Amino acid sequence: MIFNCELKKVVDDSYEIEIGHGLQEKLINDLKNGLTGKKKFAVVTDSIVEGLYGRDIYERILGAGFKADLFVIPECEKSKTRAMKEFVEDSMLEKGYRRDCAVIAVGGGVVTDLAGFVAGTFGRGVPFVNYATTLLAAADASVGGKTAVDTPLATNLIGIFNQPEKVYLDIDTWKTLPEVQIASGLAETIKHGCLGDAELFEYLEKNVEKIFAGDVAACEYIAEHNCNVKYRVVMNDERESGLREVLNLGHTVGRAVETVSDYKLFHGEAVAIGLVAQAELGKKLGYISAENCDRVIKLLERAKLPVRVPEYVDKKVLVKKLYTDKKVRDGKLRFVFQKEIGSVMQFGDNNFAKEIAEAEIAEIIEKM
Ligand code: GLY
């Protein structure tokens, strides 16, 4: 006997990204207006952001008459683990959280990636909201619905696509970021310029120092342009069946060097090294001119990002680590390449990544 379980779905996962300054009260109002449909909130934050924004948001939620608890994870990339996910989940269960709640992530990429993943599996899924407090989260992590944890083998290997109810990009929070965090966020911003927005790239060439100085117009400009590039890509390929791989520009070497550095490199710093690697290899393969390749490297340097593999990283181990990349197919390395500035190479129908022999990339890494 065959029982036909017909289960066609029409899903509307649309959500708003609100860009602004001091959006805490906006969040509270949205919660009052039923943004998540829930009245009980698990506020997930990290040990640094707790004192800056997390506890404040938690107290505002309580002040609005809702139930809430604060769940704090240690601040560092190494918190993005299955063990930490379990810790948050068990803490929520102990406090009586069931399906009647929503998760509010307040923090950078580690918090939004982890909390979004928790929300996606807690009670088989509860709504979540991202309140992004870093440039990196605003540029990439909190937008687009990718949630994940790292494993000892590599970053982001275990996770789900899970879209938030809303994302708040509070530009005022960038004021409390250390310089290295601004630089890290700029790496993803430069990546967006390289792959899909020549105007953004040129703007950064003229104004990158203004971001470090906290210039309001410049910060608003990059926040908006980052969202625009990501939206154009994610809207057309949410589940990364092809096009979304372009957002992986610089991440093949980037993710590998981040893991091999044992997270001494911040994510954006690792991505900067990865962007240089793809540009150098792209130059050799004729995808980018020597002049544009230099422009990429110069802009990364001005954004206070590393453009060489650190001395302490074993380059042979790094090359082997490339095989943990999610784009690997049939055991072959695949790379995304920028096409000059503001576009990407396409290698066939819905294929934006090219197979690269280990020796080709090993030669580039050796020189970096
Ligand atoms: N950070 C890559 C993506 O969102 O697809």
Side-chain angles (χ1 to χ4, degrees), residues 140 143 146 188 191 230 234 240 244 247-248 251 255:
D140 188 28
V143 177
K146 272 191 178 176
E188 293 286 359
K191 177 196 83 174
K230 262 212 101 160
V234 174
E240 200 161 312
R244 189 164 179 168
L247 295 177
N248 245 267
H251 281 60
R255 283 220 181 84

Side-chain angles (χ1 to χ4, degrees), residues 310-328:
E311 294 281 319
Y312 59 79
V313 167
D314 181 326
K315 289 179 175 168
K316 295 214 162 42
V317 175
L318 172 55
V319 171
K320 290 298 167 207
K321 190 54 88 177
L322 296 175
Y323 288 93
T324 60
D325 184 49
K326 286 190 289 306
K327 294 188 298 307
V328 165

Side-chain angles (χ1 to χ4, degrees), residues 55-349:
R55 184 163 290 279
D56 171 60
I57 286 178
Y58 154 73
E59 282 168 359
R60 286 174 197 248
I61 293 174
L62 285 181
F66 294 117
K67 290 206 174 76
D69 286 279
L70 195 54
F71 300 93
V72 184
I73 62 169
E75 189 279 331
C76 65
E77 179 70 30
K78 285 188 174 173
S79 283
K80 227 177 92 170
T81 59
R82 281 171 285 190
M84 197 58 72
K85 179 171 181 273
E86 208 173 295
F87 163 76
V88 174
E89 289 160 349
D90 287 345
S91 308
M92 286 171 67
L93 290 170
E94 267 169 37
K95 295 229 180 223
Y97 281 72
R98 299 293 183 264
R99 287 186 51 76
D100 58 343
C101 69
V103 171
I104 313 286
V106 184
V110 170
V111 169
T112 60
D113 275 17
L114 182 86
F117 190 15
V118 168
T121 59
F122 192 82
R124 298 203 179 91
V126 297
F128 79 109
V129 167
N130 282 335
Y131 196 97
T133 63
T134 66
L135 172 53
L136 186 88
D140 188 28
S142 71
V143 177
K146 272 191 178 176
T147 72
V149 292
D150 303 333
T151 71
L153 185 69
T155 63
N156 291 334
L157 285 182
I158 310 288
I160 53 171
F161 291 101
N162 189 25
Q163 300 298 344
E165 300 302 310
K166 183 163 175 176
V167 178
Y168 300 84
L169 306 186
D170 183 349
I171 294 173
D172 279 359
T173 62
W174 303 358
K175 287 180 195 150
T176 48
L177 289 176
E179 191 174 85
V180 65
Q181 285 276 5
I182 295 280
S184 194
L186 277 172
E188 293 286 359
T189 308
I190 293 169
K191 177 196 83 174
H192 285 151
C194 288
L195 73 89
D197 191 341
E199 194 194 293
L200 170 61
F201 190 93
E202 282 157 24
Y203 182 88
L204 287 169
E205 285 185 312
K206 289 198 193 90
N207 298 295
V208 71
E209 284 77 20
K210 288 190 183 167
I211 307 297
F212 289 102
D215 180 276
V216 172
C219 290
E220 285 175 353
Y221 179 96
I222 64 164
E224 196 184 323
H225 278 249
N226 276 326
C227 286
N228 202 281
V229 174
K230 262 212 101 160
Y231 168 67
R232 274 191 279 133
V233 174
V234 174
M235 185 184 84
N236 286 304
D237 180 22
E238 184 207 355
R239 304 246 154 182
E240 200 161 312
S241 65
L243 178 68
R244 189 164 179 168
E245 283 190 336
V246 306
L247 295 177
N248 245 267
L249 186 75
H251 281 60
T252 320
V253 171
R255 283 220 181 84
V257 78
E258 185 180 4
T259 313
V260 178
S261 81
D262 196 27
Y263 301 99
K264 282 199 268 300
L265 288 170
F266 281 88
H267 179 68
E269 294 182 305
V271 168
I273 293 166
L275 284 172
V276 176
Q278 67 77 35
E280 290 288 1
L281 184 51
K283 181 170 78 179
K284 202 167 161 225
L285 297 172
Y287 303 152
I288 182 170
S289 66
E291 189 198 331
N292 280 338
C293 179
D294 279 353
R295 282 172 70 196
V296 173
I297 295 171
K298 284 212 177 76
L299 183 55
L300 291 167
E301 283 177 327
R302 280 177 56 208
K304 303 181 202 283
L305 287 158
V307 294
R308 304 182 72 82
V309 177
E311 294 281 319
Y312 59 79
V313 167
D314 181 326
K315 289 179 175 168
K316 295 214 162 42
V317 175
L318 172 55
V319 171
K320 290 298 167 207
K321 190 54 88 177
L322 296 175
Y323 288 93
T324 60
D325 184 49
K326 286 190 289 306
K327 294 188 298 307
V328 165
R329 269 196 214 149
D330 302 325
K332 303 264 170 45
L333 298 174
R334 291 168 67 248
F335 273 70
V336 175
F337 290 99
Q338 67 187 92
K339 184 175 172 188
E340 300 303 343
I341 305 273
S343 179
V344 279
M345 294 297 298
Q346 185 161 359
F347 301 100
D349 196 24

